[in-house]
Amino acid sequence: MKSVALVTEYNPFHNGHLYHAQQSKSITNSDISIAIMSGNFVMRGQPAIYNKFTRAKMALRAVDLVVELPAYASVSAGQYFAKTAVQIADYLNVSHLSFGSESGNMDDFLSLAQSIDKIEQSPLFLEKLKEGKSYPRILSELITDNDLLSSPNNTLGLSYVRAIQTYAPSIQPWTISRFQSAHHDNEISHQTFASGTSIRQSLMNQTDLWKDVVPCEIHKHYERPHISIEDTFNYLKYAILSQDATSLAQIYTMSEGIENRILQTIEQATSFEHLMTLLKTKRYTYTHIQRLLMNILLNFKKHDEPASINAVRILGMSERGQQYLKQIKKSFPERNFVTQVNKQNANLFTNEIHATKIYNLISGQTANDFNTPVIRI
Amino acid sequence: MKSVALVTEYNPFHNGHLYHAQQSKSITNSDISIAIMSGNFVMRGQPAIYNKFTRAKMALRAVDLVVELPAYASVSAGQYFAKTAVQIADYLNVSHLSFGSESGNMDDFLSLAQSIDKIEQSPLFLEKLKEGKSYPRILSELITDNDLLSSPNNTLGLSYVRAIQTYAPSIQPWTISRFQSAHHDNEISHQTFASGTSIRQSLMNQTDLWKDVVPCEIHKHYERPHISIEDTFNYLKYAILSQDATSLAQIYTMSEGIENRILQTIEQATSFEHLMTLLKTKRYTYTHIQRLLMNILLNFKKHDEPASINAVRILGMSERGQQYLKQIKKSFPERNFVTQVNKQNANLFTNEIHATKIYNLISGQTANDFNTPVIRI
C-alpha cells in the first residue's frame, strides 16, 4: 500500500486541512493518509484549543491514521520539528510526505535545498557562523535572490525537504499550494476556508463564523472548554517562581541568560500576554519566547531531548488505517506501534504522558493517555 | 531593658493572644514584648489566613516588636520550630520566653525536661531507638506517669524549655495558662476568647462571631481575601506533577518513600482535602503530611535547611520596640536586624522572600518583602 504523511496540528481541524488531505492522497496516488499530529501543545508555543484525543476524532474525517508527534518536537522550531516528523514518517514506512506551502511548486524547494547544501559548505558561511550570527540570518544574508524563505509555510516546507534528504531519502516530498486564506489571518472572511487563528478566535468569542469553514459532520466535537495560552499563566508563574537561574538554565531551548530576564520580570507579570510584553527583545521572536515558556511549564530539560524514535503512538485509525498498521507491523516486527498506553509501555511516552497531565490540570479535563483508547471509526 | 519573647502565629490575632502578651509582660516584669511570628505559612501546614504584614499590624496591638520566624521553621514540627524560635529570641537578647500551655505550671515543665534528659541517656532509650521506634513513641512508652505530654501546647512548651536549656540557657522560660478555649474548638462559644480555628471559620463563613473575640481597634485589618489551604491546591498539584520521585525525595521532611504514594495519588485528587484523604496513613499524622505538602509547594529542599541565624527580619515595631532595637544594635553591632529588605540584604532572607512570592501568587496579593516597609505605630 502506498501512503502519504501529513505533518499537522489540526488546531482545530478545518476545511483547509480536509482539502490538503484529500489532494495529497489523490495527487500522490496513495491508498493511505497519515496525519502526524502535534499532541496537547503546539508549535506556536501554546496548548491546543482542544486536547489531542478530540483533535484525533476531527482528523479522522480526513485521514486514515492519526499518530502523535512527540511532545518535545511539537513545541519546537522548524528544524527539530521537521526532523522528528520525518523520522516518524519513516518509522511508519510512508512513501510520500506532503506539505502545504505558499509556493506550491516542488521544484523550487528542491533547488533551494540544493543551494543551501552548497552554501553550508562555503567558507563564507563558516566565517559568518564564527562571527556569531544565527543560522536563519546567515541564510537570509547569503540567499538574496530567492523569496521562498519569506513565507512561513515555505520555510517549514524547506525544513521537511532537507530533513527527508538527510534522514529518510526514500520518502518522496510533495507540496500543495495553500488555499486562499493566509495562515495568520485574524478574521474569517472567505466562504469555505479560513486560518486556524481566525477559527480559534471565532470559537473563543462564541460566534458562529467557524461553522462555515469546518466540515459539518464534525461540528459536534467543537465544544467547550476552549483552552488558551492564558490558562497556563498561573502555573507558569508558579513554575518560574519556584526555580533559580541555575535550574531555569537547564530548560530546553533556554539560552544566553534569558533565564535572568524571566526571573526579573515574572513577579510583576499579571497575564501571559503581559509577561510576553515584558520579555520581548529584538534578539528573539515572539514565538521563540512563547515556546521557551511552554518548555518551562512542561519542565522539559535540555538533557532530556529525545535522540531517536523508539515507538509511535497511534491516536486514531479508520479500518483502512488499521490494515496499514497490521501490514507494517508484519514488515517491521521490531517497531513499536502503540494503540493503548499502559504501565508496560508508558516509558516510551514519558514526555507525552506528562504533557497530557499538565494539559488536563490547566484545562480541568480528565481524558489521559491511560484511560483513552485509540479512536476508531 | 528587660524583654519577653512570645512565639506566635497570630492566625489571626485575637483576645487570647492579647491576654497572653499582657500577662507575659507583667508577670515577667518586662519593659518590652517581642512576638516571634510565623510568616506567610504556619505550623499546621497551611498558608496564614492573612499575610504576615497584616498580621504584624494586628500584633502591634499587643506587642512592641514583631519579628519573623524563618520560613523553614514556621512550617516545621515542634523540635526544629522551637529550636529556631529560641535561637531568634537569643539573637534578640531577650531575658524571658513566655509560652501558653494547658498546664500553666512552670515547675512541671522543668522537672519533665530533667526526666527526659535522663531518659535519653538510659540504655533502654537507646535500645528502643535501635528497634526503629520514633522519638515521641519512645517517650510515651518510657514516661507513663506524666500527663503533661497529652496536650499539644504542653508538648510544644516542653520543646521551648528544652531548646532554651540547650541553646540559650540565659533565657528564663515562663508559662501562662491558656484561657478557657481549647486550641482546636471549631465554634466560638465563649464571650471573649476563642480558638484560631473557630475564628478562621467565622471569617471564612462571613459570620460576625469573630468580632466578639478580637480587639475592636484592629477589626479593620480582618478583611478579605481570607486565604485557605484549598487556594494552594492547583499549584501544589502542578508542582507534584512536574517532578519525578527522585526530585520529590529531595523535599524537606520527605521520608520513607512517601513521594511514591504522592505521585500515585495526585492525578486523581480534586482538592486539597481529597488529596489528604488519599494520602493519610497510620504512619503519619495529618499535620505531618500537610506540612510536607507545603514544603513541596514552597520547593523547600532538605539540603537547604538553614543551620544558623544570621539575621532577624523586623516586621513591625512600636516606638518602644524601636528603642529596644537601637539598644541591642549597640550591644551587638555584628548582628543583622533588618527593617527593610533590599537587593543588598535579600540573600539573608531567601526562603522568606520566596514564601511571600508563592503566597502572593496563590492569594492574588502584591505586598512583598521589598515593597512593604517595616510597620510602625
Side-chain angles (χ1 to χ4, degrees):
Chain A
M1 282 197 265
K2 277 174 73 180
S3 54
V4 60
L6 321 166
V7 187
T8 70
E9 294 195 327
Y10 295 158
N11 185 33
F13 189 89
H14 57 67
N15 285 338
H17 298 129
L18 182 63
Y19 171 84
H20 176 68
Q22 288 171 338
Q23 288 286 307
S24 298
K25 204 167 168 180
S26 82
I27 289 176
T28 63
N29 206 13
S30 293
D31 309 292
I32 292 287
S33 56
I34 303 176
I36 300 169
M37 188 182 82
S38 296
N40 285 322
F41 291 83
V42 299
M43 197 190 203
R44 204 170 285 189
Q46 56 189 35
I49 186 167
Y50 302 114
N51 72 38
K52 61 186 180 186
F53 308 112
T54 301
R55 281 159 44 242
K57 273 182 214 157
M58 297 169 177
L60 287 174
R61 168 69 184 80
V63 299
D64 300 298
L65 212 51
V66 187
V67 308
E68 183 170 0
L69 182 70
Y72 267 67
S74 289
V75 195
S76 280
Q79 291 195 34
Y80 183 68
F81 181 94
K83 173 189 159 186
T84 310
V86 163
Q87 287 176 325
I88 294 273
D90 195 39
Y91 199 93
L92 288 159
N93 200 38
V94 305
S95 24
H96 292 80
L97 186 146
S98 167
F99 56 91
S101 67
E102 289 83 359
S103 150
N105 183 337
M106 199 57 222
D107 288 339
D108 289 351
F109 285 95
L110 293 171
S111 74
L112 181 57
Q114 220 166 19
S115 309
I116 293 177
D117 283 346
K118 276 191 199 140
I119 285 170
E120 282 185 357
Q121 282 154 31
S122 73
L124 199 56
F125 178 87
L126 290 171
E127 206 172 283
K128 285 177 185 282
L129 208 62
K130 278 180 193 155
E131 285 169 21
K133 288 179 178 169
S134 74
Y135 181 84
R137 183 166 165 202
I138 300 176
L139 281 197
S140 73
E141 284 181 13
L142 294 181
I143 305 171
T144 50
D145 57 344
N146 196 315
D147 60 359
L148 205 65
L149 291 175
S150 62
S151 307
N153 285 287
N154 287 347
T155 309
L156 191 55
L158 188 72
S159 303
Y160 297 137
V161 172
R162 300 193 73 220
I164 285 172
Q165 290 173 345
T166 311
Y167 302 103
S170 70
I171 295 177
Q172 196 176 327
W174 189 254
T175 188
I176 285 173
S177 171
R178 289 170 61 82
F179 209 78
Q180 294 177 329
S181 172
H183 195 47
H184 291 280
D185 281 0
N186 272 342
E187 254 180 70
I188 295 175
S189 49
H190 312 288
Q191 290 247 289
T192 345
F193 294 97
S195 73
T197 305
S198 62
I199 295 171
R200 286 193 296 277
Q201 210 159 79
S202 160
L203 287 160
M204 297 278 183
N205 298 340
Q206 300 182 54
T207 71
D208 279 346
L209 292 170
W210 65 272
K211 290 187 176 168
D212 293 334
V213 293
V214 166
C216 75
E217 309 88 309
I218 55 171
H219 278 190
K220 61 183 175 215
H221 301 312
Y222 291 65
E223 279 178 355
R224 285 194 284 179
H226 300 132
I227 310 311
S228 89
I229 188 69
E230 287 298 346
D231 296 321
T232 68
F233 180 66
N234 283 337
Y235 299 101
L236 178 66
K237 186 164 180 175
Y238 172 81
I240 295 168
L241 288 175
S242 296
Q243 296 183 60
D244 58 16
T246 317
S247 158
L248 267 187
Q250 309 301 315
I251 294 292
Y252 189 50
T253 71
M254 188 75 74
S255 62
E256 293 162 340
I258 192 175
E259 67 272 16
N260 294 313
R261 196 176 166 85
I262 293 174
L263 282 170
Q264 278 152 23
T265 51
I266 188 62
E267 234 191 316
Q268 59 178 121
T270 55
S271 69
F272 193 93
E273 202 184 333
H274 185 211
L275 176 61
M276 287 299 296
T277 317
L278 295 171
L279 286 178
K280 187 76 186 73
T281 64
K282 279 187 187 166
R283 196 177 195 110
Y284 300 106
T285 63
Y286 197 93
T287 318
H288 175 82
I289 297 176
Q290 199 160 325
R291 280 197 286 256
L292 173 60
L293 294 175
M294 284 307 102
N295 287 331
I296 297 175
L297 180 77
L298 295 170
N299 201 23
F300 281 175
K301 304 276 174 64
K302 283 170 185 162
H303 59 77
D304 288 336
E305 185 195 272
S308 59
I309 307 298
N310 304 313
V312 164
R313 172 76 198 284
I314 315 294
L315 292 172
M317 55 192 185
S318 66
E319 280 191 28
R320 190 189 281 254
Q322 198 172 356
Q323 277 168 29
Y324 180 77
L325 214 53
K326 273 187 192 156
Q327 182 194 300
I328 51 172
K329 270 182 183 170
K330 215 168 156 184
S331 309
F332 306 97
E334 77 287 2
R335 296 189 187 174
N336 296 306
F337 302 100
V338 176
T339 51
Q340 174 66 58
V341 171
N342 54 39
K343 276 189 186 175
Q344 281 68 47
N345 60 32
N347 64 313
L348 296 168
F349 304 103
T350 313
N351 301 320
E352 293 67 39
I353 291 168
H354 179 65
T356 299
K357 284 181 187 170
I358 301 298
Y359 188 88
N360 283 347
L361 178 63
I362 64 167
S363 65
Q365 297 181 34
T366 54
N368 67 31
D369 290 279
F370 295 93
N371 66 20
T372 312
V374 64
I375 293 143
R376 297 164 193 266
I377 56 157
Chain B
M1 282 196 264
K2 276 174 73 179
S3 54
V4 59
L6 321 166
V7 187
T8 70
E9 294 196 328
Y10 295 158
N11 186 33
F13 189 89
H14 57 67
N15 286 339
H17 298 129
L18 182 63
Y19 171 84
H20 175 69
Q22 288 171 338
Q23 288 286 307
S24 297
K25 205 167 167 179
S26 83
I27 289 176
T28 63
N29 206 12
S30 294
D31 309 292
I32 292 286
S33 57
I34 303 176
I36 300 169
M37 188 183 81
S38 296
N40 284 322
F41 291 83
V42 299
M43 197 191 203
R44 204 171 284 189
Q46 57 189 34
I49 186 167
Y50 302 114
N51 72 38
K52 62 186 180 186
F53 308 112
T54 301
R55 281 160 41 244
K57 273 182 214 157
M58 297 169 177
L60 287 174
R61 168 68 184 80
V63 299
D64 300 298
L65 211 51
V66 187
V67 308
E68 184 170 1
L69 182 69
Y72 268 66
S74 289
V75 195
S76 281
Q79 291 195 34
Y80 183 68
F81 181 95
K83 173 189 159 187
T84 310
V86 164
Q87 286 176 324
I88 294 273
D90 195 39
Y91 200 93
L92 287 159
N93 199 38
V94 305
S95 25
H96 292 79
L97 186 147
S98 166
F99 56 91
S101 66
E102 289 83 358
S103 150
N105 183 337
M106 199 57 223
D107 288 339
D108 290 350
F109 285 95
L110 293 171
S111 73
L112 181 57
Q114 219 166 17
S115 308
I116 293 177
D117 282 346
K118 276 190 200 139
I119 285 170
E120 282 184 358
Q121 282 154 30
S122 73
L124 199 55
F125 177 87
L126 290 171
E127 206 172 283
K128 284 177 186 282
L129 207 61
K130 279 181 194 155
E131 286 169 21
K133 288 179 177 167
S134 74
Y135 181 85
R137 182 163 166 205
I138 300 175
L139 281 197
S140 73
E141 284 181 13
L142 294 180
I143 305 172
T144 49
D145 58 344
N146 196 316
D147 60 359
L148 205 65
L149 291 175
S150 62
S151 308
N153 285 288
N154 286 347
T155 309
L156 192 55
L158 188 71
S159 303
Y160 297 137
V161 172
R162 299 193 73 220
I164 285 172
Q165 290 173 345
T166 311
Y167 302 103
S170 70
I171 295 177
Q172 196 177 328
W174 189 255
T175 188
I176 285 173
S177 171
R178 289 170 61 83
F179 209 79
Q180 293 177 330
S181 173
H183 195 46
H184 291 279
D185 280 0
N186 272 343
E187 254 180 69
I188 295 175
S189 49
H190 311 288
Q191 290 247 289
T192 345
F193 294 97
S195 73
T197 305
S198 62
I199 295 170
R200 286 192 296 278
Q201 210 158 79
S202 161
L203 287 160
M204 296 279 184
N205 298 340
Q206 299 182 54
T207 71
D208 279 346
L209 291 170
W210 65 271
K211 290 187 176 167
D212 293 334
V213 292
V214 166
C216 75
E217 308 89 309
I218 55 171
H219 278 192
K220 60 183 176 215
H221 301 313
Y222 291 65
E223 278 177 357
R224 284 194 283 179
H226 300 132
I227 310 311
S228 89
I229 188 69
E230 287 298 345
D231 296 320
T232 68
F233 180 66
N234 282 337
Y235 300 101
L236 178 66
K237 186 164 180 175
Y238 172 81
I240 295 168
L241 288 175
S242 296
Q243 295 184 60
D244 58 16
T246 317
S247 158
L248 268 187
Q250 309 301 317
I251 294 292
Y252 189 51
T253 70
M254 187 77 74
S255 62
E256 293 162 340
I258 193 174
E259 66 273 16
N260 295 312
R261 196 177 167 84
I262 293 174
L263 282 171
Q264 279 152 23
T265 50
I266 188 63
E267 235 190 315
Q268 59 179 121
T270 55
S271 69
F272 193 93
E273 201 184 334
H274 185 210
L275 177 62
M276 287 299 296
T277 317
L278 295 171
L279 286 179
K280 187 76 186 74
T281 64
K282 279 187 186 165
R283 196 178 194 108
Y284 301 106
T285 63
Y286 198 94
T287 318
H288 175 82
I289 297 176
Q290 199 159 325
R291 280 197 287 255
L292 173 60
L293 294 175
M294 285 307 101
N295 287 332
I296 296 176
L297 180 77
L298 295 170
N299 201 24
F300 281 175
K301 303 277 174 64
K302 284 170 184 161
H303 58 77
D304 288 336
E305 185 195 273
S308 59
I309 307 298
N310 304 314
V312 164
R313 173 76 198 285
I314 315 295
L315 292 172
M317 55 193 184
S318 66
E319 279 191 29
R320 189 189 282 253
Q322 197 172 355
Q323 278 168 28
Y324 180 77
L325 215 53
K326 273 187 192 156
Q327 182 194 302
I328 51 172
K329 271 182 182 170
K330 214 168 156 185
S331 309
F332 306 97
E334 77 288 3
R335 296 189 187 175
N336 295 307
F337 302 101
V338 176
T339 51
Q340 174 67 58
V341 171
N342 54 38
K343 277 189 186 174
Q344 281 68 48
N345 60 32
N347 64 313
L348 296 168
F349 303 103
T350 313
N351 301 320
E352 293 67 40
I353 291 168
H354 179 65
T356 299
K357 285 181 186 170
I358 301 298
Y359 188 88
N360 283 347
L361 178 63
I362 64 167
S363 66
Q365 298 182 34
T366 54
N368 67 31
D369 291 279
F370 295 93
N371 66 20
T372 312
V374 64
I375 294 143
R376 297 164 193 267
I377 56 158

